[in-house]
Amino acid sequence: MKVVNYATYVRDRGRVDASRAEHQAYADALREHDRLVMGGPLLEDGGRAQGVLLVYDVASNEEAETLAQSDPFFLKGAIADYRLSEWTVLNSNVESLAAALVPTNRRVARKEPVASGVKPVDMEAHAARTYVNYARYVSDRSRVERVRPAHRSYARTIEANGKLIMAGSLSDDWGELFIYRAQSKDEAMSLVLDDPYHAEGIFEAYVLSEWRLFGLNAGLIRGR
């Protein structure tokens, strides 16, 4: 089973920074042992990391809880809050996901001084980026079921257009997680706003964030 860990950082950035290297080593080990499908930081609009999204491949919710609480981020007090939800993936494009993987040498912003009068070049200014929509449904499940066929038709359309990488329902059908590929947050937001779930008021709440994919075990997706 796939379980999403959607976590937010504490305000004390020192705790986050101090435990980041250990967290990354822990995540690498989980991927090598086929326990972590993918993961990476969630960004604020200014580009600063505000949390992390991890997807585990586990046998039970209890195992996912153990993995989450064994993470150095959690052990060293860098996590303010997290939620674990089983994720039933309905749409997936493994090739697009692999293409979104951030190379190791581009995971940290460059800090070299720039010559006076020279504007630094943003190598990713025109590159497609990855965005996550973490959405909660309204409590009236009959409304969700009524709109679901139109929503799924829409999802198939944007998947065919290369805009939807992965999507699926979260635990007990309380919400849904979408992974988009877009040139900007505005474009990603348009994908949310055009969704019948949004137009019909099915999204009670949602958070759209840029997501930097730092690690991927594609075999765990293909083998689901």
Side-chain angles (χ1 to χ4, degrees), residues 77-92:
I79 299 298
D81 188 30
Y82 72 93
R83 177 164 185 159
L84 298 175
S85 304
E86 185 176 352
W87 190 28
T88 304
V89 179
L90 300 176
N91 304 80
S92 65

Side-chain angles (χ1 to χ4, degrees), residues 82-126:
Y82 72 93
R83 177 164 185 159
L84 298 175
S85 304
E86 185 176 352
W87 190 28
T88 304
V89 179
L90 300 176
N91 304 80
S92 65
N93 186 325
V94 178
E95 288 69 28
S96 292
L97 194 61
L101 191 63
V102 178
T104 303
N105 63 355
R106 296 176 70 181
R107 294 180 184 179
V108 179
R110 294 182 62 183
K111 296 182 180 179
E112 296 88 345
V114 177
S116 177
V118 177
K119 184 178 180 179
V121 176
D122 183 356
M123 299 301 291
E124 296 186 346
H126 303 292

Side-chain angles (χ1 to χ4, degrees), residues 46-58:
R48 188 184 190 188
Q50 62 181 347
V52 63
L53 174 69
L54 305 165
V55 180
Y56 305 124
D57 188 285
V58 291

Side-chain angles (χ1 to χ4, degrees), residues 64-219:
E65 191 75 48
T66 297
L67 295 182
Q69 295 191 6
S70 299
D71 192 313
F73 270 162
F74 180 86
L75 293 175
K76 296 199 171 184
I79 299 298
D81 188 30
Y82 72 93
R83 177 164 185 159
L84 298 175
S85 304
E86 185 176 352
W87 190 28
T88 304
V89 179
L90 300 176
N91 304 80
S92 65
N93 186 325
V94 178
E95 288 69 28
S96 292
L97 194 61
L101 191 63
V102 178
T104 303
N105 63 355
R106 296 176 70 181
R107 294 180 184 179
V108 179
R110 294 182 62 183
K111 296 182 180 179
E112 296 88 345
V114 177
S116 177
V118 177
K119 184 178 180 179
V121 176
D122 183 356
M123 299 301 291
E124 296 186 346
H126 303 292
R129 300 184 180 190
T130 308
Y131 295 87
V132 166
N133 176 15
Y134 189 70
R136 183 175 73 245
Y137 298 152
V138 294
S139 59
D140 185 347
R141 290 298 183 264
S142 65
R143 288 178 58 193
V144 179
E145 291 299 328
R146 177 175 58 81
V147 182
R148 180 162 281 152
H151 159 74
R152 288 185 174 171
S153 176
Y154 172 75
R156 287 191 295 270
T157 297
I158 63 173
E159 181 182 18
N161 291 336
K163 300 299 183 182
L164 179 64
I165 297 178
M166 295 185 72
S169 298
L170 297 168
S171 302
D172 300 322
D173 204 29
W174 73 266
E176 192 155 352
L177 177 70
F178 305 85
I179 303 176
Y180 305 119
R181 195 71 168 147
Q183 295 291 329
S184 66
K185 188 169 184 179
D186 285 344
E187 182 184 358
M189 182 60 74
S190 72
L191 297 174
V192 178
L193 299 181
D194 290 342
D195 193 317
Y197 271 173
H198 183 275
E200 297 294 331
I202 300 303
F203 291 152
E204 183 173 81
Y206 64 88
V207 180
L208 181 67
S209 306
E210 184 176 352
W211 185 45
R212 303 273 285 173
L213 181 60
F214 279 9
L216 172 66
N217 187 332

Side-chain angles (χ1 to χ4, degrees), residues 24 27-37 214-217:
Q24 290 175 349
D28 288 342
L30 290 185
R31 277 192 300 275
E32 290 173 5
H33 290 86
D34 290 341
R35 286 296 173 264
L36 183 64
V37 181
F214 279 9
L216 172 66
N217 187 332

